[in-house]
Amino acid sequence: MARRRSAAGVFVFAVLLMLAVTSLHAQERVRIDGQVQWVAGNRMQVMTGGGSIAVDLRQADQAAHRGLRPAERVIVDGFIAEDRRSIVAREIWRIGYDQSAGQAP
């Protein structure tokens, strides 16, 4: 009886492990390239050629987004959030800061 319980426990553990690994791979990875519109706390808004995208910064390295300014070009690697309303950033690269982009002509 004890062997059946331990075998069942191992089976349940294996199934749960497979589900966890599958859900990690199911995350839709994305890369966006654009200009920072604003940064506030754990959120950032990036303007791309296709429109404005909300970015969740909680999983990104804080040093990567500290000091970002509007109009600064960035590349964001991450995945689409479960609610499909934002990108959860994993990595952020600064491309450069175009000082003239934020000024009126």
Side-chain angles (χ1 to χ4, degrees):
M1 181 96 165
R3 283 189 178 191
R4 283 187 182 167
R5 283 190 181 172
S6 66
V10 169
F11 177 73
V12 169
F13 175 74
V15 169
L16 290 175
L17 183 62
M18 285 177 17
L19 288 174
V21 170
T22 302
S23 68
L24 287 175
H25 290 292
Q27 292 177 336
E28 204 172 330
R29 296 194 58 94
V30 293
R31 174 176 280 184
I32 60 172
D33 180 357
Q35 287 186 322
V36 175
Q37 288 183 292
W38 54 262
V39 180
N42 291 327
R43 307 286 299 164
M44 175 171 67
Q45 199 74 18
V46 176
M47 178 60 78
T48 68
S52 184
I53 299 174
V55 180
D56 182 335
L57 301 172
R58 288 180 285 188
Q59 293 188 23
D61 181 16
Q62 191 176 28
H65 60 83
R66 184 182 304 127
L68 283 174
R69 295 180 272 175
E72 190 167 5
R73 287 204 49 230
V74 293
I75 293 176
V76 178
D77 267 351
F79 58 92
I80 297 175
E82 286 183 25
D83 65 4
R84 304 196 65 81
R85 293 182 172 188
S86 63
I87 303 296
V88 178
R90 290 290 176 112
E91 295 186 63
I92 301 169
W93 292 280
R94 295 169 191 225
I95 303 303
Y97 179 68
D98 183 1
Q99 294 178 347
S100 64
Q103 298 175 356

